[in-house]
Amino acid sequence: GSGFELHFSGNGTEMLAAPVLLQYLDDWKAAKFDEPAPDAGSLLRYFPKEFVDGTNTKAPRSEPPQSLRSRFTFTLVYGDSSMASDQLSTRSSKASQGRLPADRRPRPASAQEFDAFIQKEVYPVLATASKETKYVEVFYSGDGINNYEVSLAMQTDIMWALGSILFVTLYMGVYVCSVPAMFGSFFVIFASVPLAYVCTPAAKTTFASLMSLFLITVIDVDIIFIFFDFWAQSVHLGKVDRRLAWVLVKAGKSCLATSLTTSLSFFANLLSSMQPLREFGMFMGLCVTNVFLLALLFLPPILVIRHRRQQRSESRRIVAVTQEDSRDSEDEEAKWAETLKLEAADASQHKLQRAHSKESKGSKGSKGSNGSRHSLADRQTREAARARRDLCMNVMLSRLVDCTSTCPCMILLTTLALVIVGIAGIIKTIELETGPPVIFTPDSNQVRGKEISGGFSSVLGLAEPGSAKPTLRATACEASGFYSTADVRKCRMHWCEGVDQEAYDDGRGQCWRGHVSKWVDGTEFTQWDTEGCGQVKVTTRVASKALADYSDYLAFITQWEALILNLTNGTANTVIPLRTKSSIRPLILEEWQTGTVLNMPYWELAPIHAYHESRGQISPVCLVNAICFAGPRRCALPEWRLAGTFADVGALAAATAAAVLAPSPTPPPVSGLRRLGWIAKGLVPDDRQTRVEVVFGLWAPDTTPLVGPTPVPWRFDPLFEPDDPWAQRAMLRLCQNLTEDLKVTWSDCWIETLAQALALAGQRFPSRNFHEDVVRWRRSSGDQSQIWIVDGKMRAASFGFWGDFDTRASADKLLKYKDKWDVYLELRNSEASLTASRAYHNSQVWVSAEATVAVVASTLETILTACSVSWIGILLFTRDPVLATIVLSTMLANTIGLTFFMTVIMSWKIGPIEIIFLVVFLGYSVTFGLHMAYNYSAIGADDPEMLRVQIWARHRRALRGLRGVAAVGAAEVEDDGERAKEGRGRTRVDASTPASQSSMDTLDLAAEPLLVGRELRVARTRSAVLRVGAAVLASTFSTIGSSMFLLVCALNIFIRLGFVIVATVALSLVSTMFLLPAVLVLIGPSPDPCYKRRPRQAILALLGRGRRPNGGKEEPLLDGDNQDAKAPL
């Protein structure tokens, strides 16, 4: 009969062999019958791309896949394929607003309802599905759900970012010990962002601009600490106006140097070829500048208000304590007078009353003044604690300088070795990111889902909405049953009992035939020979993997035609060589004893007519059915006879094809796919081939403005006139005359389809009514090609081409492939008329490749520019080229360390986000070092503060030496103390007590010898470290603490930003507190080096001027100020 049915419901009792199921899922033959693909889908829907079934090709079957895929689709339908693109666009916009016509409104009725369905019902299930299953991973993607997932992650990460900002704000409050000052500092930093936003002519707010809220906190929080630290150091000046002037000059210059250098580093991004990077650089540069201006405007009054509040608070406490003490004194005198009177009357009783009055006096006095005295005591305790904290900080920083000054060469050599290792590691491991930035973490749904989906075909999906559900039954037809085409379509596969093929061991296949059916006067006669046959018609089926190749097919058909002639026993001596074939449902050969199955492709050849040339094609016609098997197994055909054997077609393919003199017919093209003749089959997988769009009629600007939106993003080309016959010929010629170097495998040229449609309708191409024909053809065919129609006329169009060039190739190779398209388009435009001579091509691959090359080139250019402007900025403020070079070297070392951290330690690819990080923190890494270098350059050889710091450090070292001697023996310590009292040794001053501080204040600095050489460099370095070291440490702690909040974010960009900030701050801290002091101690320039002194003397000599009137000292800040005033330690 016709066969039997297979059930795929999973409820049967008989086991179904895996090859049978694979064949049921495979729909590779469906297109041969011009029928839709099977409802169950194809292997590519469920199996990875690398999986090879081995049934349809000569390749062996691959290993079992490690994963399978199922896909489910939710869609909002707002039209069908019969609508034009402009009509679909209109309905799409109406669907987004919920205004579809009631008669065709889908369910859900609007995009809002669809989004609500996705967010409230679908997403919660999908987000928790993977957690509830052990062996199933659920990934999801789509327009609505992707945006919703990003928005959820953004909301969570924004809260973490706000937490980091709150941490910095609270830390500032603890550091400045004032809540109003904390809020004022917060305003100074964050008010710069809206001001910069107003000044930046950006088209829209980008994601990088949102990061500025956090970046400006990291970059400019040190300004707050510098101003407050310098205010605390100015206490020796006494008056508020003098202190304020000193802070503005000292802290203002230092912060101006760092702000100017950092802002110039950001402005250097204006040289980048990427407009988003230019806009971000300008925005951040304005933010840094605004912070400094706001600090100059608001921090001085904040400092004065804070100082006066502290003074008023302290005055109120002192007055309250004084009033309570005087009341206690009056009460005491009255009580004692009363006690003396009572004592004269009765001595014993007087004694008791006197004791009682003392007790009551004491209790009352303590009751009245306890609160004020307690407050004063707390105030004194806090001040003492702060003094101890400052002393500990100064001692730690001084010891750090001592340690650095003992081995500066070792520090420099170690740093140089690390830099060399870092450069080598960067060169070996650096890799550019060619795709878009990765927003989520590697284990997230969107990243992990894309990674898993990359192993599967990306072009096939499950059934579209409205299609039938997958069937659970399939018909298996008998292998020996020869049916009509309609009956064959009902068969999902052919089935037979398989037996071993005897001749296959010798490399030969077998052909078996059935009875010969002879029709005479409408009556069928069956026989085994061909006697009495006027001609023989042989219908042949072949089970073979080799017939897919046309050369192999020719090798087989040549042998089979010879066997047919032998079969006729002289009845026929020639055949009609039709030599065409078609694939039908595959053949399943099942071995009955073991149950193993073999899946073979099944082919049906065109009927072969054999006749004798002398008689011609006469009646009667005899019909013969034959089946050939090229494999280790054949069907058991008990009522059939062996027709002959043939050699392995794969081995004889080349020889047989060479012996065929007749031209080989070209295989028919695949339906729906316009294959071009230059490359029959590409070497690159379809999903990785380069897609190129050629556009007519659209004009796009060649350049973009420096910042801001493009005035005219695109417009229609007024010279493009598609109704001109020469314009139509130019478009058709573009599609038909492609050159071989473009490696085009197939194209989407709708102009060819239109020309064919016009020809079938009896019309000519080019058309004189082109606009009407295009609109009518689109509506009738439902073709959604890229055609722009305005007011019933085609204004622009594009054609798609797929080239056999891998999109994963390097950027240089992709740009060389782009150059070939440039040459081809230039040739076609030169041949075209003026009405279609401005065609151009574009591709997302070109954008990625050009962006990759531009990022590298512009990044190097930006880094060099940033280094140059940083060096110039440092030089302007330090007025010393050697010092500027030293600071720039530390900045470059930090940049190399940061790049090493990103590429080697974290294994990140360098993309646009990483480039932004490098450029941003290139300017930030110089901040700490510039503070240190500026203060180093501002300290002269006779600076009183430096001398006091040096004496204090010398006394501290002496104190540590005495403590070490005390550990050896108390007697020796006492002897040292006696010698010190008698003046026979160095005076020992304990700088940790107020008394010793007074002793240091009374030191005669003029009697101290001037420091020179290495001792002077150490003293200047120590003084610079003590000035800014506390602020640097505070800024480091606040920045790292705030960055910890970013490490727990969901978005990958925030996590990477947190790691980069921690690495940058750590590198800057190490280079500022260890590397830079070591360099300054070793080769730091003197206050007036020869390369500055001699040119100055030459210029003054030429101008006829002598020394400066004040002897080279700086002018006083205010009238009456003494620059030799005592400075704090």
Side-chain angles (χ1 to χ4, degrees), residues 742-790:
L742 299 181
K743 301 180 180 180
V744 175
T745 57
W746 66 289
S747 66
D748 184 13
C749 283
W750 58 267
I751 194 73
E752 293 180 337
T753 307
L754 175 62
Q756 295 173 4
L758 292 177
L760 292 176
Q763 302 180 18
R764 294 188 305 170
F765 182 88
S767 172
R768 289 293 184 182
N769 300 317
F770 182 76
H771 297 298
E772 294 81 358
D773 292 338
V774 168
V775 173
R776 188 185 310 110
W777 166 72
R778 290 191 68 196
R779 290 179 178 176
S780 61
S781 64
D783 195 307
Q784 300 302 320
S785 302
Q786 293 295 325
I787 302 176
W788 286 263
I789 297 179
V790 180

Side-chain angles (χ1 to χ4, degrees), residues 295-330:
L296 287 182
L297 184 62
F298 289 100
L299 284 185
I302 289 174
L303 291 171
V304 173
I305 293 173
R306 172 175 171 267
H307 175 70
R308 290 180 177 177
R309 284 173 57 88
Q310 291 177 350
Q311 282 186 334
R312 286 196 298 268
S313 177
E314 186 175 352
S315 299
R316 285 195 298 267
R317 291 191 181 96
I318 294 175
V319 170
V321 171
T322 304
Q323 291 176 353
E324 292 294 340
D325 288 344
S326 63
R327 282 197 297 268
D328 291 343
S329 178
E330 293 175 358

Side-chain angles (χ1 to χ4, degrees), residues 915-929:
I915 294 298
I916 291 177
F917 289 160
L918 280 175
V919 174
V920 166
F921 295 104
L922 174 67
Y924 173 71
S925 61
V926 76
T927 303
F928 293 166

